[in-house]
Amino acid sequence: DGIYNALSMSPNARYAATSVFVGPFINILDFDTGETLQVEVTGPDFSQSGNTDSLVTRVDAVAFDYSSQKIIFDFAICLPTASVPCFTADSVEYWSIGIYDLRREAFEYPFPSQSSDFDVGFPRFASNSNRFFVYDRLDWSEFDELQSTISTIHQYDVDSGDDLMIANADPGNF
């Protein structure tokens, strides 16, 4: 149901993962068994703020790690306000990153307390390790002053949580 947004094949050619244009789902096809698993991306736990509903509106990029056991993805999450509820035409969204572990059937969210001033996306694991991934980051915090975003590329260490800017992607800054 819906138009596919992204497709990724696992390095061992056992799995394919897809995201669709609308909805918080990743579809995982297991070529060995012929079964398809649909997992719902719910995002970080916001229950402390009183919200127990999933605020994820859609999943975009999907990519496997080198072991074919983890899928890294980006997703849009709604930011509800008093005047604009989620899932309406005027609702505010920002992008974040998640990791789905096929063995444990569990999600990890590297940025659970991420500010809505930042969009992070297009993640990819290192080709020989699932300890590191790179991603794009858009900083909207100074948009009113600069009339543009600050675009950077980062390397994230899953084990330590260290986040290193490795490139400034803004025009003229290479």
Side-chain angles (χ1 to χ4, degrees):
D1 295 316
I3 299 170
Y4 291 110
N5 235 7
L7 169 69
S8 179
M9 292 293 299
S10 64
N12 67 2
R14 178 176 176 178
Y15 302 104
T18 64
S19 62
V20 293
F21 184 69
V22 178
F25 303 102
I26 299 173
N27 299 307
I28 304 163
L29 173 62
D30 184 333
F31 290 111
D32 285 358
T33 66
E35 295 178 3
T36 300
L37 172 67
Q38 184 177 71
V39 295
E40 181 176 2
V41 177
T42 58
D45 181 2
F46 292 102
S47 58
Q48 288 183 350
S49 67
N51 189 346
T52 57
D53 297 328
S54 172
L55 302 176
V56 176
T57 60
R58 64 190 178 280
V59 176
D60 186 28
V62 291
F64 283 90
D65 74 328
Y66 79 102
S67 72
S68 301
Q69 292 303 307
K70 293 188 178 189
I71 300 170
I72 193 163
F73 58 92
D74 60 6
F75 62 96
I77 192 164
C78 180
L79 181 64
T81 65
S83 59
V84 182
C86 286
F87 307 105
T88 63
D90 296 325
S91 62
V92 177
E93 293 180 337
Y94 63 97
W95 287 90
S96 194
I97 292 173
I99 299 168
Y100 182 71
D101 188 314
L102 289 165
R103 282 191 188 126
R104 295 185 309 123
E105 297 182 352
F107 288 97
E108 300 170 43
Y109 297 99
F111 309 108
S113 302
Q114 172 186 337
S115 166
S116 61
D117 285 338
F118 299 95
D119 284 323
V120 294
F122 302 106
R124 293 292 180 268
F125 278 112
S127 62
N128 60 355
S129 170
N130 57 19
R131 178 178 173 182
F132 299 99
F133 66 84
V134 295
Y135 69 93
D136 295 347
R137 183 176 109 169
L138 291 177
D139 178 349
W140 293 88
S141 64
E142 298 180 44
F143 184 81
D144 290 339
E145 181 182 328
L146 301 174
Q147 293 301 300
S148 70
T149 59
I150 299 169
S151 179
T152 52
I153 300 169
H154 289 245
Q155 172 187 291
Y156 185 82
D157 183 329
V158 175
D159 291 349
S160 71
D162 290 341
D163 189 24
L164 175 67
M165 183 184 79
I166 57 175
N168 185 335
D170 284 321
N173 290 319
F174 285 101

